[in-house]
Each structure stands twice: as structure tokens, then as C-alpha cells.
Amino acid sequence: MSEHRRKLPQPEGGGRASARRAAQPRPGRGAAGRDVVTASHSGPYAPQPAQGNRAAQRGNGRGRGAGTATRDKRLINYPRSDRDGWKRFVPSWKFVAGTALGFFAVITAGTGIGIAMVSTPDPNKAAEAQNNVFYWADGSQMVATGGSMNRQIVPISSIPRSMRDAVISAENESFETDRGVDPMGVGRAVWNMATGGSTQGGSTITQQYVKNTYLDSDQTLKRKATELFIAIRLGVTEEKDKVLAGYLNTAYYGRDAYGIQAAARAYFGKDSQDLNPSECAFLAAVLKGPNLYNPDGGIGAAATPALNEKRARERWSWVLDREVEVGRMDKAERAKFTDADFPPRVESEQARGMTGQIGYLVDTAKAYVMKTKSITPEQMAMGGYRIKTTFQKPRVDALVKAVEDTRNGFIDEKGRPETDTFVQFGSASVDVKTGALVALYGGPGWDHKYFSNNANSSGVPVGSTWKPYVLAAAMEYGTQNSKGKGISADSKYMANDLTVINNREGKPLRDASGAPFKQKNESPTSFGYVTLNEAMEKSINVPFAQLVFDVGHDKVRAVAKATGILEESVNPNNDASFALGTSTPSAIRMADSYATFAASGTHREPFSVTEVEKDGEKLTGFEAPKAQRAMDSDVADNITKVLENVVENGTGKKVQKLGRPAAGKTGTTDENKSAWFVGYTPELSTSVVLFRTDPNSPDKKLISMKGVGDIPSLHGGDIPAEIWTEYMGEALKGLPVKQFPEAEDIGVTADSAGAPSPTPSAVVPASPSPSTQPPSSPPASPSPSKGGRPTCPPWKLYCDPDTTRGNNNGGANTGTSTGTSTGANSGNTSGTSTGVIGGSTGSPSPTQTGRPGRPGGITGGVNDSVPE
């Protein structure tokens, strides 16, 4: 029985295994037996390649049998399992169609949800601009601006057809037929924001209307998506007239006017329904950007009244032409409006509300806030800001009184109309310890239709007030004659009138005719060789015209910029007149820069705002700017010593009436087109500038001040010094008298080529560490020794004023280091804004560890061996 139960052995190749093998498909490409491998010489049972199994293992079997056996279980067959090599990554049409359908479904659903979730804009809410409130430094209110004229919404029937035509022609020709969005414009905006580029608003009127309701929101991708959904909703649900009326009722037109009705009242003193086609084209032009197209001017160097007026006229003319081009105005109507018909505007309500200096103070503070927090003019116009400034009302009043008293005492426009008209004043006062602007004088006032801030405008050359930077660079860097060591103010230079100036290679500069360039002084006096101290005292041109080449123009620029002078206001030319003040910093920047000397070489950026609140929350970023080391303290203190001598014995002697230690420099430019006095005490640094320009002239050219105040040749030591002295006396009244830090002897005596004394002489630093603390008692001799030079009689304003004053920049022919003449007159324009107070001055110089004449001073990468 056991034998019957035992499984009988099967012959090899037979039985059930044989049957199974027979049932399986033979190796090959298909079940039909194509390409069957025949028996080899090894016999019928030799092993054959398992092609189907290998293909299945690879997941890309090419036969139907193999594919069936290794079916891909992925939801999405990508990369494709039924293809080899690169073909695996070519999507099938089913995959492409399915993906597109799914994406469309998601977008459709998302758009539907987004549209359902957003609400339409409320033009009444958008037009409710709030006041901006400005405060004095002591916390008392200065003024509240904005908000009063931006609340009236008008229906489309009160907006003339000419206004609608002008805006549609200029901004969105397809407005009446589009669906509220421009896909290409949206794509550009989204891409720019997603990649960190500049933000862009919607390009259609509908999108602009939506944007106007979100002025207080952040410029983010989320906000852009919200705007898009709202625009799409408006495009399919609202009538075009309602959208257009909403846009025109919420747009910002400048002059604190929000909406078409407010704009019509602000610019033309009439209701919107009474606007004519020319006025409508003007308002459509202003919509391009009020900060740049409002003829009153705006904020920034490119937004002066003159430049804005020019842009507004060009845009106005273009809008009218565009209306003809798109068929919304016929040519005959367009021909009625010539350039002479540019619409006149009424006096700004905004200007009437800010009399005296308030307009300039508010403008300065607004610029600082907008720069610090990247706020647009439109956002600022919406209001709601509480801004505490650094301006001290008693000192502002003192500065205004000083200007008006001096103007009344010197200027007689009725008696001397040929000389005393169009005289402009500008001034700024900075706290030495902090850099805070405590007072400024910008002009007669917005209420007198003078909108340019003379305290914060460039275009007026600073004259000889630039010379201290040349001397400071020589003390810090040395000259070609000092073997890399800083030089002393006792170094001697030729000072005779019409002396030939040599470049850094020792070759004469050339004038326009090719002859050697000769620098002019203001007088033909033969001074011979004088020390740089005496050259500064008498403001002689020739020594500084040569010294700038011996030092290097780039090194002087480095010193000036380290003290706060903005690069865009610095003369870029390497000519002789560069040393004599052809650069055009603002009064604010000059006062702040000289404060660096008063603070022993420590610079602080000027600032005008200390606190800002919005919606009850304090904004960050308004802390006082940090101090930066601009130059070695001994260099700064020696400049102060030299400028004290200017006050004690030189061109600034009128300042002695202040009765306390003071240092400063006078400055006068070619043809008496400007006159400056910039000076300081240990507490305050103040600059005063005078110039003449017709504010109604298109080019705002400077006019000679010869004869102004019945003075044949007006200098910085005259009217500017008078204003400076009166203001500083009142501003410092009651404060204890402080002394400047005692200046230690520094540098080497390195005379110019041809000087009779040996060059260079020994180094004379007295101690290894600079003294930065004021002495316990006044120094015995406040003015520096002049080395045996004749002294000035105490009853004279100048040492022989007919022969020694050398404030003039030497004429239009300046001479250059390349052997050619620039032929440039020193400054013809004024009123160009320097930009936001507190803006960047470039990279401040690092803290210095070395003393003048030693390594470690200001570094600028300038190679002394390279001719300039």
C-alpha cells in the first residue's frame, strides 16, 4: 500500500511540469511564436534568455504579453513606462489634455471662489482722506494738513464728456469693450513682484480704480490677486460709467486733492462739471503721477517746479493729440489749444493753509518720512500720520527774524529795482551733537507762491566754503610733496594772481586757446608765498587751485562725501575751479557737513523727524542716525582752528559780534552769483546762502548780485554773515559758552614747488593720542599763529579789502588736468531739490585708528601715482 501512495518519479521533461512548460508562451516577441529561438547545438534543453522577464523587470516590455504581465499601477503614467530612453519623458496627448483640463478647472474654481469672496470698492470710503498732523520738537502742534477737500463724490453726469474722453484716450483706449483686466499687464505685474522687481499697478482703468481703494495696503502678491478678482467682478457686473466715475472720484491729483471734484476746485477753482477740454487734458496728464506732473513741484531731485511744469505741458499736449488719434476729438477742436493755452491754475489752497516757513518744514519732514518708510506721495496724501519733527519753533522764529531784519536793512526793491529784486535767501541750522535739523529758512513762503525750498535745493555753487575740504584732504592724505604724510596748515604755496597751475605730472594746465592756464584771484595783489592758513584767512584762490592737484580731486571728494555732502551735488570734473566751489550742495548739507568739523570728525546724517504714528501705532526707523567717523579728530580740530582764524582775522570778521567761539568760512562765486557763510559753534552749525533768480523764469538762471544792498561786490562776509550772527546770537541765548577742543599740531610742512623754504620739514605731532575734550579754560590765543605775517588792523573788516579778498572762483575758464579748459561758468541754475533729507551719502569712511600722516586715515583707493 505504501508503494501505491508513494509518488512515482516523472521522466525528465514530462508530466505536469512538462505540460505547464508547454502551455507557456515560447520566448519571442509575441504569443504567436514569431522570432522563436531554435534549438542550439547544445540540445533541446539548453537555457534560453528570459527576454520577457527582463523586460518586465525593466518595466518597459515591448510585447503585449510582457506589458500585460507588468501593468503600471501608477495613477499618472509619467515618465511613461511603455517607452524607452528620452521617449519616456514625452507626455501623451491624454496626459496633456488631462493636465490642461485640470488646471483650467482649478483656475475656474479658484477665480469663482475669489470673486465670490471679495467686495466691490466703495468710492466714498476711498475718498475719506485723513489729516496728517505735524508737531514741533517740544510736542506742540505745528499744523494739520490734508483731508478737508477730499470727501465729495460726484455722479458721472457731473463729469464732463471731455474728461472721460481724455482719461480713456490716455490710459485705457479699450476701456469700453474690455472685461476689466489686461492679462499681459497682470502677468508683468505678478512676475515683477514674484521675482522681487518693482511693483506695478493694473494697466486698465478698472484695475486702477480697484488699486485706489487699497492705498493703505502692502504691495504684495496677495493684494494683487485680490485686486485682480475685484477687477474681474467689476468687469462683468458693473456698468462702465459707474467704474469710470469710481476711478475719477478716487484718483489722486496732487494738491491734496482726492477725486475729480476736489481736483477741479484745487487747480481751477470751479466744479468738475464746468471743466473745459484743456483743463480736462491737464488733469488727465496729472494722473500720470502728481509728484512729477503737478507744476507746483514735488518731492525728490526730479520733481522741481520747473521740471514738473515742463513734463505737465508735454503730457497735456500729448493727451490732446491722443484724443484725436483714437477718435475722441476732431482735429478742428484740437487746433484750438496751442502751447499758449496751457491752462492757468488758481493759488493752491494747500499753500494758503501753510504760511511762512510751515510749508518748507512740512515738506522737509514729509520727504524724510517717505524716504525712511518707502511711502508713496499717494499714500501720504491719504493721511493719518502723526509726525513729530526736530524743528524748534523758537529757533525757526529767530532765523526768520534774522533774515527779515537783514533783508529790510540791506534790500530796497523799490529804490533799487535793478539790483535788489529777486534776491533769495536760504538757511539751515543743525545740532552738532545729533545732526537734528533745528531750524531752516526756505524762502518767502508758499503763501507767496514760492514753492522751492532754498534750504534744501541745489544749483547754487558754494564758492570758497569748499576750500576747507581741500585743506582737510591735504591734512589727511598728504600731497605729492609730503611723501605720503599729512601736511600742516603752515605749508606755503604761491598766491600771486594769474599764477600758472600745474597738474599732478607737474605740467601746466591749458586753457581753451592752448596756452598755460593762469588762475585768477579776486585782486591783483602780489602775495608771494603764503601759508595755507593765511590763504584760507584771506580766501586766496591760487594756493587752493594748486593744492587740489597736489592732493588729488578724488581724495577731496572722499572727504566731502564722508562729511555728508551728496555725491550728485559734487562737481565731477578734475579742474582747477573744483577747489574753488563749483559744487552745489544744499544749505542743509553744508550745515550738516561743517558740523562734522565741530564734532571733531564725527559725522551724523541730518534728520528732521523723531517719531511717526499711523493708526495709533508707532512706526520704526525714526531713531537718530548713528555716528560715523569721517576723519581723524586731529584733522577736524585743525580745520576748526584755521576757520576760527577766518573769523578772528579774515573775511568772516563780522561774526565776532557773536561774542563766543565761532569758526566759519565765507564763499562767493563768479560774477557774485551766490554768497555763502557757513559756520559753527560747539553747539550749532548753520549755513546761510544768498543768490538772485527770477522764480517765474523758465530756466531759473542765477543773476549777478553786484550792487545788491548798494554793495558793489557782495561777499559771504557781508549779508550772509550778518544773518548768521544775528540768528546764532538768539539761538544760543542763555546757553553757557563752550570752547572748541584744543587743536594739536599735526603733519609736516610741505611747501609747493618753488617755495623758498626746504620741503618737507620735520614731523611735529606733539603726542601719541589726539585730544578730543575741550580745555578747562579758554586758550590763551584763540587764533592760530601766522608765522610772522602782518596782522589786520582791528577797525578794518578785511586786511586791505581792495587787494586781499580772494573769494572769486577765478572766472569761467577753469583749466583741467588733461590740459584742456572746461569753459564752464560756475553754476547757472537753482532750485533743484537734492532729494530726501537723510538720504544716503555713499559709504561712510570706517573708524580710523591712525593719526594724520600715518596709515589708517580715510581710505579711498586713490593712487597718488596716477595723474588726474
Side-chain angles (χ1 to χ4, degrees):
M1 294 178 66
S2 60
E3 293 177 356
H4 291 287
R5 295 190 184 98
R6 188 172 55 228
K7 186 176 180 181
L8 297 177
Q10 298 293 327
E12 187 177 357
R16 295 176 183 175
S18 177
R20 285 195 300 270
R21 286 194 296 272
Q24 291 178 353
R26 299 293 299 277
R29 289 187 297 178
R34 290 172 292 180
D35 299 329
V36 175
V37 180
T38 60
S40 69
H41 295 291
S42 301
Y45 309 112
Q48 299 298 322
Q51 296 179 5
N53 291 337
R54 292 176 183 173
Q57 292 171 4
R58 293 195 305 267
N60 62 348
R62 296 167 61 188
R64 290 195 184 103
T68 301
T70 60
R71 189 168 189 172
D72 197 322
K73 296 182 179 180
R74 293 177 297 171
L75 179 62
I76 299 176
N77 184 24
Y78 189 85
R80 300 175 65 183
S81 62
D82 57 343
R83 291 288 186 269
D84 288 327
W86 61 270
K87 293 182 179 180
R88 296 174 63 202
F89 300 97
V90 178
S92 66
W93 69 270
K94 293 181 181 180
F95 178 79
V96 174
T99 302
L101 183 61
F103 181 75
F104 179 76
V106 172
I107 293 297
T108 302
T111 302
I113 295 172
I115 293 175
M117 292 178 64
V118 298
S119 59
T120 56
D122 182 356
N124 290 283
K125 181 178 180 180
E128 289 178 356
Q130 303 177 59
N131 285 329
N132 287 320
V133 183
F134 294 82
Y135 300 90
W136 295 102
D138 63 4
S140 60
Q141 182 171 318
M142 179 191 299
V143 68
T145 68
S148 60
M149 45 192 306
N150 302 319
R151 299 181 185 275
Q152 186 175 356
I153 303 300
V154 296
I156 192 69
S157 58
S158 295
I159 302 175
R161 168 56 64 180
S162 57
M163 185 66 196
R164 290 176 259 172
D165 288 339
V167 172
I168 292 173
S169 300
E171 299 194 22
N172 187 188
E173 177 187 351
S174 63
F175 168 73
E176 293 177 337
T177 58
D178 64 34
R179 295 298 181 184
V181 296
D182 175 11
M184 294 298 294
V186 172
R188 288 192 301 270
V190 171
W191 172 258
N192 282 335
M193 284 187 289
T195 57
S198 60
T199 58
Q200 293 184 359
S203 59
T204 68
I205 286 176
T206 306
Q207 288 173 270
Q208 293 284 17
Y209 170 37
V210 174
K211 177 189 174 187
N212 289 344
T213 66
Y214 284 87
L215 283 175
D216 288 333
S217 301
D218 295 331
Q219 296 280 353
T220 63
L221 195 59
K222 178 182 177 181
R223 200 204 81 166
K224 179 53 63 180
T226 304
E227 289 181 8
L228 176 62
F229 290 141
I230 297 175
I232 294 173
R233 179 169 181 166
L234 291 178
V236 298
T237 61
E238 297 289 355
E239 295 181 356
K240 290 293 183 179
D241 278 353
K242 184 175 181 180
V243 174
L244 183 59
Y247 170 59
L248 294 176
N249 277 317
T250 57
Y252 178 61
Y253 296 80
R255 285 195 173 186
D256 276 351
Y258 226 82
I260 181 64
Q261 173 66 12
R265 300 300 307 177
Y267 285 101
F268 305 114
K270 61 176 65 174
D271 293 328
S272 59
Q273 61 190 15
D274 298 325
L275 294 169
N276 62 43
S278 176
E279 293 165 340
C280 290
F282 170 85
L283 293 178
V286 170
L287 283 176
K288 176 74 172 176
N291 192 59
L292 295 177
Y293 289 85
N294 176 7
D296 298 339
I299 296 174
T304 65
L307 292 175
N308 281 18
E309 173 94 12
K310 181 175 182 293
R311 276 188 291 263
R313 286 177 174 272
E314 292 173 350
R315 180 77 176 175
W316 168 80
S317 180
W318 178 87
V319 170
L320 293 171
D321 292 339
R322 179 68 175 165
E323 290 187 69
V324 175
E325 183 180 342
V326 301
R328 292 182 176 273
M329 178 184 285
D330 57 47
K331 293 183 178 179
E333 179 76 5
R334 170 66 180 92
K336 296 178 181 178
F337 306 108
T338 65
D339 291 344
D341 297 313
F342 186 68
R345 283 87 57 201
V346 299
E347 182 181 351
S348 171
E349 180 74 23
Q350 181 182 17
R352 289 197 296 269
M354 289 192 285
T355 60
Q357 299 305 301
I358 299 298
Y360 307 121
L361 300 177
V362 166
D363 200 43
T364 301
K366 282 172 60 176
Y368 187 83
V369 173
M370 291 168 63
K371 175 71 174 178
T372 302
K373 301 300 293 184
S374 299
I375 297 172
T376 66
E378 290 82 0
Q379 289 172 311
M380 180 61 71
M382 284 295 291
Y385 294 93
R386 302 291 182 265
I387 301 169
K388 184 178 181 181
T389 73
T390 60
F391 299 116
Q392 300 173 9
K393 189 176 188 304
R395 285 175 168 171
V396 172
D397 292 342
L399 186 54
V400 171
K401 184 177 184 300
V403 171
E404 292 179 350
D405 287 349
T406 306
R407 175 192 286 274
N408 295 336
F410 277 88
I411 308 300
D412 184 1
E413 295 186 36
K414 294 182 179 180
R416 297 185 294 268
E418 295 299 319
T419 59
D420 287 15
T421 54
F422 307 134
V423 179
Q424 309 296 339
F425 296 76
S427 182
S429 187
V430 172
D431 185 281
V432 167
K433 292 183 178 180
T434 65
L437 277 166
V438 298
L440 61 79
Y441 184 91
W446 287 10
D447 50 326
H448 290 275
K449 298 182 180 181
Y450 192 88
F451 298 101
S452 294
N453 185 352
N454 293 340
N456 188 33
S457 61
S458 67
V460 182
V462 296
S464 292
T465 60
W466 193 259
K467 291 173 181 175
Y469 303 122
V470 183
L471 180 57
M475 290 179 170
E476 188 77 30
Y477 291 108
T479 67
Q480 295 185 125
N481 303 319
S482 69
K483 299 181 180 179
K485 298 178 180 179
I487 71 169
S488 162
D490 289 330
S491 301
K492 294 184 176 64
Y493 270 70
M494 170 55 69
N496 287 343
D497 188 39
L498 297 176
T499 295
V500 173
I501 304 300
N502 296 324
N503 62 19
R504 289 182 65 82
E505 294 178 318
K507 299 179 180 179
L509 304 183
R510 299 290 173 177
D511 61 20
S513 67
F517 169 74
K518 298 179 180 180
Q519 178 61 54
K520 285 178 59 62
N521 291 327
E522 189 177 5
S523 73
T525 301
S526 296
F527 293 102
Y529 284 88
V530 301
T531 65
L532 293 174
N533 185 44
E534 184 177 359
M536 188 76 73
E537 171 195 310
K538 294 182 172 64
S539 201
I540 309 172
N541 288 333
V542 169
F544 292 98
Q546 183 59 61
L547 180 62
V548 73
F549 285 97
D550 292 347
V551 175
H553 292 72
D554 284 345
K555 293 175 182 177
V556 177
R557 291 188 182 96
V559 168
K561 288 189 286 187
T563 64
I565 301 298
L566 297 177
E567 183 173 6
E568 57 265 29
S569 66
V570 178
N571 177 8
N573 300 316
N574 292 339
D575 50 27
S577 66
F578 173 83
L580 311 179
T582 50
S583 296
T584 58
S586 67
I588 289 175
R589 285 289 167 178
M590 287 300 290
D592 177 70
S593 177
Y594 269 47
T596 305
F597 298 134
S600 296
T602 299
H603 172 248
R604 295 171 177 84
E605 276 290 288
F607 67 103
S608 56
V609 174
T610 58
E611 293 180 11
V612 177
E613 287 188 7
K614 181 70 165 66
D615 299 328
E617 295 184 3
K618 284 189 177 182
L619 303 185
T620 60
F622 294 98
E623 302 80 12
K626 294 182 179 179
Q628 298 283 343
R629 172 60 60 182
M631 66 183 67
D632 192 283
S633 59
D634 276 355
V635 171
D637 293 341
N638 271 270
I639 293 296
T640 294
K641 182 178 180 180
V642 171
L643 297 185
E644 280 187 283
N645 185 53
V646 172
V647 171
E648 292 295 327
N649 302 300
T651 57
K653 289 185 67 175
K654 283 190 176 182
V655 173
Q656 291 182 29
K657 290 187 297 183
L658 180 63
R660 61 171 69 216
K665 184 69 186 76
T666 57
T668 308
T669 57
D670 188 39
E671 297 296 325
N672 271 180
K673 290 182 177 178
S674 64
W676 290 75
F677 185 81
V678 186
Y680 53 90
T681 66
E683 301 88 0
L684 288 180
S685 177
T686 302
S687 63
V688 179
V689 58
L690 262 68
F691 58 95
R692 285 187 74 197
T693 185
D694 181 355
N696 299 315
S697 64
D699 51 15
K700 305 294 190 299
K701 285 187 176 180
L702 297 181
I703 307 170
S704 175
M705 292 191 295
K706 290 183 176 180
V708 168
D710 204 24
I711 301 173
S713 182
L714 191 149
H715 295 79
D718 300 320
I719 296 177
E722 288 279 353
I723 294 173
W724 189 95
T725 305
E726 180 178 342
Y727 161 71
M728 292 289 279
E730 186 64 27
L732 298 173
K733 181 182 294 185
L735 296 180
V737 175
K738 292 185 178 180
Q739 302 293 331
F740 290 112
E742 185 176 356
E744 298 185 9
D745 293 335
I746 61 170
V748 299
T749 301
D751 302 335
S752 65
S757 60
T759 178
S761 64
V763 182
V764 290
S767 64
S769 59
S771 173
T772 59
Q773 301 297 324
S776 57
S777 60
S781 177
S783 60
S785 170
K786 296 183 287 184
R789 295 187 305 276
T791 58
C792 297
W795 61 86
K796 288 191 176 181
L797 177 61
Y798 305 101
C799 293
D800 189 4
D802 294 333
T803 59
T804 62
R805 284 190 288 177
N807 302 43
N808 191 285
N809 73 1
N813 188 354
T814 61
T816 66
S817 61
T818 57
T820 61
S821 171
T822 63
N825 191 293
S826 60
N828 289 324
T829 62
S830 66
T832 303
S833 173
T834 62
V836 177
I837 304 305
S840 173
T841 59
S843 300
S845 59
T847 301
Q848 299 151 33
T849 58
R851 297 186 56 184
R854 300 182 183 180
I858 297 177
T859 57
V862 182
N863 189 341
D864 273 331
S865 64
V866 180
E868 298 184 31

